[in-house]
Amino acid sequence: MGGIADTEEWKALEGAAYDLRSKSAIDLFKDDPGRAQDFSIGAAGVFLDYSKNKISTEARAGLIALAERADVAGAIRRMVAGERINATENRAVLHVALRDFANRSYELDGENMSQAVKAERGRMVKFADAYARDELLGFTGEPLDTVVNIGIGGSDLGPRMVVEALKPYWIEGRRAFFVSNVDGRDLGDALDRIDPARTLFVIASKTFTTQETMTNAASARAWFLANGGTEKDVAKHFVALSTNEMAVREFGIDPENMFRFWDWVGGRFSLWSVIGLSIALQAGSATFERLLRGAHAMDEHFRTAPLAENLPVLLALVGVWNRNFLGLGAHAILPYDQRLASLPAYLQQAEMESNGKSVSMDGAPADAATAPVIFGEPGTNGQHAFYQLLHQGTDVCSADFIAAAKTDGPLGDHHEKLLANFVAQQEALMVGREFQEVWRELERLDYPANEIKRLAPHKVFKGDRPSSAILVERLTPEALGAIIAMYEHKIFVQGVIWGINSFDQWGVELGKTLAKAVLPEIASEGGEPPAAVDTHDPSTNGLINRINAMRSAPQGKDETP
Ligand code: F6P
């Protein structure tokens, strides 16, 4: 049986792309003056304008037909019904249940998950509220006021990004640090800035086996014990967020101090669960609930709106069009909002860990190109770095520009300038600048003809580079929740169309396994040079031996070639 790329819907889209080969997005605007409105949609407080992408009305209809062919509507139903759509891990995918305020019941293996979700959130809220009221006391009797979230991947990127984004909602006097890297300097930098007597360590790990997190957690506990805390104080200063009670217990955290979630919450979709504890601690439980409610509003839209009027579906289809029919291999996330500085990193995991796959659900090679490379930086910083390539590089990248119309911290005309750049960059990418125009401008500036001839080609912008605008009125917790949910659903829809499992991540395993084998081969610093390693390929052996030679060298000796 053929895959999605063998369907007549796919072939029709290839035809639509061919028909557009000599047209630009600007031409499409000339053909359809109402295009800006027609290619825009709003839902749950999020406005999406995808009109600057080179998609014709026919192509959009073809994409919706493709989504129908892939049974996106059925896939949405199966997901929210708790079917084990994560087939390679035999798990349901129910992050929507974590933020369902419509009183739906989610049953899994006879257990009512809605009750379990409510109960665990209740414990989390109680704990966060006690922290906010200075009722959590440390070993000296002083109230705790600092959180160190120790986690990595989904147990770090989500809460970190949201905490940063919701800075205006922070509880006064509270501080939150996020430690993820196994590089000891990450934890070391945080420990340098905190008081053990006032610090709560939040050990966030779905599996509670992740090397980086377990290493950081053990070092944090050792530091705590060496700096005034005793074994019996650990209970006041360490909590665990996990699905693995046995491992939490083995680590030495009392299950009383554990907040639970479930295997049907994927790591990169987990900030809505107790993994969001650091958000509730830093910004308050009411803010956390507002975030959840924003996501819920987007969920309601996603599960009820027809495909053609469904914002996350349309965003996904624009991505499919750019990736599969225009052949674009990279997609930029460009938040014009400093508070969303970590959104690109968050979406890198969300999109690339979910859809960076080359095998279909049935084990056959994927039928078509899957996730593009995701990268990004906040605007306007990126403009002074990699936008050169966006505007004039040989590879065309698609981009999402994200902004809030109003700022929580007005300062002079900063926000007007930010928004002007947000708009102008998208305009420049689409409209470009033709040779004649460059020529005329240089003439106006009195450049001699030979100089104009020499310089003009360098100043041409081909334009027709696709971008979408994602706009909210203000970056409230609700708006942020809706934006994140929008991206989660976009990723899911794309995975359905590509026929892949967006919810496993086998591609991260091999490196982890090999690192375990290499670890005992790394020499201790300043120790005796170990015997040469020859158990790997020649390059790997050479690298380990070079590292070991450097680590064994007496201090001060320069070992670089
Ligand atoms: O290595 C990838 C990964 O499994 C991610 O999917 C996950 O978010 C991260 O590691 C952290 O996992 P855990 O929460 O189990 O420590």
Side-chain angles (χ1 to χ4, degrees):
M1 202 188 82
I4 193 78
D6 294 321
T7 60
E8 60 192 56
E9 288 80 1
W10 190 277
K11 307 266 177 252
L13 282 164
E14 285 173 337
Y18 185 79
D19 292 345
L20 281 171
R21 70 195 179 286
S22 55
K23 284 213 167 200
S24 66
I26 285 287
D27 294 330
L28 296 175
F29 275 98
K30 283 181 195 144
D31 295 350
D32 173 12
R35 178 178 170 84
Q37 205 180 346
D38 186 23
F39 283 69
S40 295
I41 182 169
V46 179
F47 172 77
L48 166 70
D49 173 356
Y50 58 101
S51 64
K52 292 192 183 73
N53 291 274
K54 191 159 81 171
I55 300 183
S56 59
T57 310
E58 297 72 42
R60 181 175 58 185
L63 286 162
I64 290 160
L66 183 74
E68 278 162 4
R69 176 68 180 234
D71 192 20
V72 166
I76 297 173
R77 277 195 300 276
R78 284 190 289 282
M79 176 173 76
V80 300
E83 282 188 31
R84 292 178 187 269
I85 60 168
N86 176 0
T88 56
E89 295 182 323
N90 192 27
R91 289 175 183 166
V93 177
L94 272 180
H95 43 275
V96 291
L98 299 167
R99 57 211 190 196
D100 189 323
F101 292 90
N103 279 328
R104 288 192 187 86
S105 120
Y106 294 85
E107 298 273 333
L108 264 187
D109 301 329
E111 201 190 335
N112 184 347
M113 282 303 155
S114 327
Q115 294 298 339
V117 166
K118 258 197 195 139
E120 213 49 28
R121 195 182 322 132
R123 287 184 67 222
M124 175 181 167
V125 164
K126 209 168 145 204
F127 188 77
D129 290 349
Y131 177 73
R133 287 195 300 260
D134 280 344
E135 287 169 10
L136 298 186
L137 306 182
F139 63 84
T140 58
E142 293 168 275
L144 304 181
D145 61 9
T146 304
V147 165
V148 178
N149 189 95
I150 295 181
I152 197 164
S155 301
D156 167 73
L157 291 163
R160 182 197 289 261
M161 181 270 288
V162 171
V163 164
E164 281 176 21
L166 296 182
K167 192 165 183 204
Y169 301 85
W170 286 6
I171 299 172
E172 213 186 319
R174 297 293 186 267
R175 298 188 304 160
F177 295 87
F178 288 84
V179 173
S180 54
N181 201 332
V182 77
D183 183 336
R185 285 175 296 183
D186 198 9
L187 178 64
D189 286 349
L191 297 181
D192 284 347
R193 298 176 57 196
I194 60 174
D195 174 357
R198 304 180 74 100
T199 298
L200 177 73
F201 290 96
V202 175
I203 316 300
S205 175
K206 181 176 172 181
T207 55
F208 233 70
T209 56
T210 303
Q211 185 193 53
E212 294 91 332
T213 302
M214 291 303 102
T215 306
N216 278 322
S219 298
R221 191 175 55 179
W223 174 87
F224 174 75
L225 295 175
N227 285 278
T230 65
E231 281 292 351
K232 89 173 174 9
D233 299 322
V234 166
K236 292 187 185 129
H237 290 265
F238 284 76
V239 295
L241 319 177
S242 188
T243 59
N244 186 349
E245 184 170 328
M246 206 191 303
V248 168
R249 206 186 281 270
E250 268 166 32
F251 178 82
I253 293 180
D254 190 324
E256 279 288 296
N257 288 343
M258 171 182 172
F259 297 89
R260 284 168 191 75
F261 61 116
W262 307 271
D263 71 357
W264 45 264
V265 182
R268 51 194 175 273
F269 303 93
S270 64
L271 70 89
W272 322 100
S273 72
V274 297
I275 287 290
L277 180 66
S278 296
I279 304 168
L281 292 170
Q282 185 63 19
S285 62
T287 302
F288 184 64
E289 183 175 325
R290 289 177 62 186
L291 178 84
L292 264 48
R293 285 189 181 275
H296 172 66
M298 186 57 82
D299 293 346
E300 292 300 290
H301 165 77
F302 179 61
R303 57 204 282 173
T304 56
L307 297 181
E309 293 154 35
N310 193 312
L311 193 158
V313 171
L314 289 168
L315 189 63
L317 294 176
V318 172
V320 167
W321 174 256
N322 286 331
R323 180 74 185 111
N324 298 113
F325 300 99
L326 301 187
L328 311 189
H331 181 70
I333 300 292
L334 308 170
Y336 276 64
D337 193 322
Q338 194 56 33
R339 299 251 188 266
L340 292 176
S342 292
L343 185 68
Y346 171 79
L347 289 177
Q348 265 177 345
Q349 185 200 18
E351 299 220 9
M352 292 164 84
E353 196 167 75
S354 298
N355 287 341
K357 315 269 165 78
S358 43
V359 174
S360 306
M361 277 289 203
D362 60 7
D367 216 32
T370 59
V373 171
I374 303 289
F375 69 104
E377 277 294 322
T380 57
N381 298 1
Q383 291 175 203
H384 300 273
F386 56 82
Y387 277 40
Q388 165 64 41
L389 184 149
L390 296 189
H391 286 288
Q392 289 188 318
T394 49
D395 286 304
V396 174
C397 306
S398 51
D400 287 352
F401 284 74
I402 304 153
K406 295 177 183 156
T407 175
D408 60 77
L411 182 63
D413 62 355
H414 285 236
H415 206 64
E416 289 77 1
K417 285 177 175 155
L418 182 72
L419 290 172
N421 279 280
F422 166 77
V423 171
Q425 288 293 332
Q426 295 171 68
E427 184 181 22
L429 282 167
M430 179 174 75
V431 176
R433 196 163 225 211
E434 285 175 351
F435 188 84
Q436 316 301 344
E437 204 184 327
V438 174
W439 190 282
R440 279 195 300 273
E441 193 206 333
L442 292 175
E443 269 181 342
R444 262 198 313 275
L445 293 169
D446 281 341
Y447 276 63
N450 59 343
E451 257 316 78
I452 296 180
K453 205 168 162 205
R454 192 175 71 82
L455 281 180
H458 299 278
K459 290 173 161 271
V460 168
F461 291 71
K462 282 192 188 146
D464 204 22
R465 300 196 165 209
S467 68
S468 301
I470 292 162
L471 191 63
V472 293
E473 187 177 328
R474 195 186 282 283
L475 190 64
T476 58
E478 289 86 354
L480 180 62
I483 289 173
I484 303 168
M486 170 191 80
Y487 275 112
E488 287 179 343
H489 297 321
K490 168 206 155 172
I491 291 164
F492 171 54
V493 170
Q494 290 188 333
V496 171
I497 290 173
W498 288 326
I500 57 177
N501 181 1
S502 301
F503 301 106
D504 63 11
Q505 54 284 315
W506 301 107
V508 302
E509 294 304 327
L510 179 60
K512 287 186 196 172
T513 308
L514 296 187
K516 281 196 186 122
V518 171
L519 180 58
E521 297 171 341
I522 301 289
S524 53
E525 199 169 321
E528 281 299 302
V533 168
D534 61 2
T535 48
H536 306 268
D537 62 86
S539 171
T540 307
N541 288 335
L543 185 59
I544 296 172
N545 291 329
R546 170 68 57 155
I547 289 170
N548 285 345
M550 288 179 177
R551 286 175 64 79
S552 315
Q555 255 201 336
K557 184 155 176 258
D558 181 10
E559 284 287 340
T560 47

